Amino acid sequence: MTEQPRDFLADTPERWPVTATATPFTGKKTSVRADDVTMPDGGTARRDFQVHPGSVAVLALDDRDRVVVIEQYRHPVGHKLWEIPAGLLDVPGENPLHAAQRELYEEAHVKAEDWRVLADVYPSPGGSDEAVRIFLAREVSEAEGERFAVFAEEADMRQERVPLPELVRGVLAGRLHNTCLSVAVLALHAARGLDGLDALRPADAPWPARPFAP
C-alpha cells in the first residue's frame, strides 16, 4: 500500500448539482430545505436537511484544571444534558469569537483572557448544515456586573466546575452525551498529549464553513 502524504487527510469542499429545491418549513432560527441532488451514477435523490446559522461553544478551563459546565433540559432527546456554554451565531457573518465571549458571559457569567480554537465540527452532516466552532478559553474569572437575565429552559440551568479527567471518563463511560462537550474535552485531552495547548489555532483562525469579518 502506497503511503499517502500527511495533508491528504482533509475534508474537501464540493457541491453536487441540484435540479430542484424547496423550503417546506421556516422556523424562528432554522428552516428545512429539500434538494433534488444529482448522484454520481446520473440518478437523482431527494435530500431534506435543516438549514442552520451556525454555533459556537466554549470549553472554559480554570486554573485548577476544572471545566465550566452547565446542565440544561433538551426537549428533543428528553434529557437534562451536561454541556459547555454554547449558542447560535445570531447575525450572518458574526465574528465567532465575539459570539463565544457573549455566550460565556450570558450562560456562565465568566470571562477569559486567553482564547484558542479547539475544534471545528459539523455535528450532524447527514441532516443539517450546522457548523460549530469550539473554543478553548483560559485565564478565566468571574464577569463584572449583574448576571445576564435568563428565561424559559435557561432559568432551570445548573452550573458546576468539573475536573477535566472526570468529564473524559464520563464521555467514555456513556454518561455524558452532548456533542460539543464530548468533542471539546476529548480534543483538549488529546491536544495535551500531542503538541500542547499553545500549538492550537489562534482564536481568529479562518473558518470557511462560516466566513466572518475580523
Side-chain angles (χ1 to χ4, degrees):
M1 185 181 223
T2 303
E3 184 175 347
Q4 297 279 1
R6 284 190 63 188
D7 61 355
F8 92 99
L9 192 61
D11 299 331
T12 306
E14 184 167 325
R15 286 287 181 186
W16 292 357
V18 175
T19 59
T21 188
T23 305
F25 170 79
T26 300
K28 183 178 179 181
K29 295 290 187 180
T30 67
S31 60
V32 173
R33 196 166 87 200
D35 286 350
D36 291 336
V37 183
T38 301
M39 299 287 109
D41 63 2
T44 300
R46 171 64 60 90
R47 292 290 180 261
D48 302 323
F49 61 96
Q50 179 193 38
V51 179
H52 194 286
S55 307
V56 292
V58 186
L59 191 159
L61 189 69
D62 71 12
D63 58 3
R64 295 171 56 187
D65 210 38
R66 299 177 304 173
V67 178
V68 176
V69 293
I70 56 176
E71 185 186 45
Q72 186 169 0
Y73 173 66
R74 294 300 187 182
H75 185 72
V77 296
H79 276 73
K80 280 187 172 181
L81 300 180
W82 284 104
E83 307 177 352
I84 56 177
L88 299 176
L89 293 170
D90 292 330
V91 180
E94 181 178 15
N95 188 305
L97 174 60
H98 298 166
Q101 291 169 333
R102 179 187 68 235
E103 294 299 332
L104 186 60
Y105 162 72
E106 291 182 357
E107 294 195 350
H109 200 63
V110 166
K111 63 180 181 178
E113 300 301 322
D114 184 85
W115 291 80
R116 308 275 175 152
V117 175
L118 190 54
D120 295 328
V121 296
Y122 293 118
S124 183
S128 174
D129 70 349
E130 180 182 8
V132 182
R133 169 155 281 189
I134 304 174
F135 290 91
L136 170 64
R138 295 182 291 175
E139 299 178 26
V140 303
S141 60
E142 293 297 313
E144 294 89 358
E146 296 183 6
R147 296 188 67 93
F148 182 77
V150 296
F151 59 94
E153 68 268 17
E154 293 183 353
D156 190 45
M157 290 194 309
R158 181 160 54 123
Q159 180 181 325
E160 298 287 348
R161 295 194 181 192
V162 180
L164 177 66
E166 289 188 25
L167 295 172
V168 172
R169 293 188 184 99
V171 172
L172 298 179
R175 299 193 304 271
L176 300 172
H177 306 89
N178 176 261
T179 299
C180 291
L181 181 145
S182 299
V183 170
V185 301
L186 296 178
L188 178 58
H189 180 69
R192 284 177 162 171
L194 294 173
D195 300 321
L197 302 187
D198 289 338
L200 292 171
R201 287 173 291 161
D204 60 353
W207 189 19
R210 293 294 186 273
F212 60 92

